[in-house]
Amino acid sequence: MDISIVGNDCAYIYLRAGAGVVWDDLVQFCVDRGWGGVENLSAIPGCTGAAPVQNIGAYGAEVSNVIHAVEFMFYNDLSAREFSCVECNFGYRDSIFKRELKGCGIITYVTLRLTKNPVINANYEDVKHALHGLDNPSIHTVRDIISSIRASKLPDPSVVGNAGSFFKNPVVSEKLALSIKNSHPSLKLFPSGEKYYKIPAAWLIEQCGFKGKRVGNVGVHAKQPLVLLAFEGATGDELINLSHTIIQTVKERFNVDIEPEVNIC
Ligand SMILES: Cc1cc2nc3c(=O)[nH]c(=O)nc-3n(C[C@H](O)[C@H](O)[C@H](O)COP(=O)(O)OP(=O)(O)OC[C@H]3O[C@@H](n4cnc5c(N)ncnc54)[C@H](O)[C@@H]3O)c2cc1C
């Protein structure tokens, strides 16, 4: 694997990985050596070079938390430039590579800063629950738990076409969030900055009756309504139409705008 150690101090290991390294192989590599920071991002499909593009995230972690630098080659003159983590302008499923630099070049290497003294990140309810009662769980345990939660909830793309989460979780004003919570006490709100809350898009979509629904050759996953499914014979138009119907229905019912997490060209 195209992975090398490029820095090492008392607290951190700096690991430079080629864009073509399978992301989950890199996670395994780190976890096997006890280097923490990416274990919550276990079992996310794809390559390391794509990870910064949408700032992959899961189970309370984002790759931007451990990115030290990203190397990028421009198509126009084949020049190379290194972007620091700050320069990557990371946001929720967002980065400079998804916006200003989209189509301008290619990420060639990613350098991660991993901790030698991992702190278990169990902020996410499912992970906290699974770790409950375990003494001193390791990052290995966290990786195993997250991999099995994902396998139980997410459809395997080699069996049925899907891109993982199709929608982002919307961030709404405190006023709107609390008014929805008032009429739907089961709603879980997650503070997101001052006077804003993140609402699970899966909850909104489920409330609108889409969970498990199939329309022609496309549908909404029964175990995780954030995931749209493309069954055999599905067309791009069918999928886009379903996504528009969902967006519109959520807007009409809750006055909340949800937007795609996936890149639609
Ligand atoms: C079942 C399933 C579960 C998923 N779960 C998650 C999840 O939990 N969290 C999450 O964040 N994502 C998730 N995803 C989305 C997906 O895994 C990530 O977006 C991943 O980074 C895509 O990697 P890829 O190599 O397949 O990239 P592609 O899908 O091929 O590309 C994604 C985008 O990145 C660009 N890109 C790819 N490589 C490079 C490069 N080297 N340089 C510049 N641009 C590049 C592409 O042009 C494209 O715009 C999931 C997807 C599936 C199918």
Side-chain angles (χ1 to χ4, degrees):
M1 274 193 289
D2 186 6
I3 302 176
S4 53
I5 295 174
V6 291
N8 188 355
D9 58 32
C10 55
Y12 298 106
I13 284 279
Y14 294 79
L15 215 56
R16 181 174 181 255
V21 173
V22 171
W23 171 255
D24 199 49
D25 291 349
L26 178 58
V27 175
Q28 181 77 59
F29 184 93
C30 299
V31 169
D32 283 348
R33 286 155 182 80
W35 300 332
V38 285
E39 58 281 359
N40 286 43
L41 304 177
S42 289
I44 297 182
C47 289
T48 299
V53 176
Q54 73 152 6
N55 182 17
I56 57 167
Y59 296 93
E62 289 185 333
V63 75
S64 56
N65 302 146
V66 291
I67 282 188
H68 176 67
V70 175
E71 290 165 58
F72 189 84
M73 192 175 76
F74 288 87
Y75 291 140
N76 60 353
D77 58 2
L78 300 185
S79 63
R81 184 183 154 188
E82 184 174 287
F83 289 80
S84 69
C85 183
V86 171
E87 288 171 325
C88 293
N89 279 344
F90 287 120
Y92 169 52
R93 300 295 174 275
D94 204 10
S95 75
I96 192 171
F97 310 106
K98 198 172 168 182
R99 292 182 180 271
E100 294 90 331
L101 293 180
K102 186 175 178 179
C104 297
I106 190 161
I107 292 167
T108 51
Y109 281 91
V110 178
T111 301
L112 303 180
R113 190 185 76 157
L114 301 153
T115 173
K116 292 180 176 175
N117 301 297
V119 176
I120 301 300
N121 172 354
N123 295 334
Y124 203 88
E125 207 51 49
D126 286 356
V127 180
K128 195 190 289 178
H129 182 75
L131 288 174
H132 183 72
L134 296 181
D135 274 342
N136 286 325
S138 67
I139 52 174
H140 249 295
T141 313
V142 172
R143 172 168 166 76
D144 290 347
I145 284 171
I146 287 177
S147 300
S148 66
I149 296 175
R150 292 182 66 97
S152 71
K153 278 192 178 169
L154 294 172
D156 180 348
S158 65
V159 177
V160 55
N162 77 90
S165 300
F166 193 93
F167 299 102
K168 290 191 201 181
N169 292 316
V171 174
V172 305
S173 69
E174 182 177 56
K175 192 174 166 208
L176 179 55
L178 295 182
S179 82
I180 300 173
K181 173 97 179 151
N182 234 345
S183 44
H184 300 81
S186 69
L187 169 63
K188 282 193 183 132
L189 296 174
F190 301 89
S192 178
E194 217 180 305
K195 295 207 177 273
Y196 286 92
Y197 285 90
K198 196 180 269 184
I199 298 186
W203 182 88
L204 295 165
I205 295 167
E206 182 175 355
Q207 292 296 311
C208 291
F210 287 105
K211 191 175 179 180
K213 194 166 179 177
R214 180 169 176 160
V215 184
N217 294 321
V218 295
V220 178
H221 190 42
K223 291 184 188 161
Q224 171 47 280
L226 274 186
V227 178
L228 299 191
L229 303 173
F231 300 103
E232 203 177 332
T235 64
D237 281 347
E238 277 183 293
L239 201 68
I240 298 296
N241 288 343
L242 175 61
S243 75
H244 286 164
T245 306
I246 292 172
I247 289 169
Q248 200 181 329
T249 310
V250 168
K251 177 73 176 170
E252 282 165 9
R253 170 109 188 254
F254 293 106
N255 194 26
V256 172
D257 294 301
I258 55 171
E259 54 176 280
E261 172 179 318
V262 294
N263 252 322
I264 301 172
C265 301

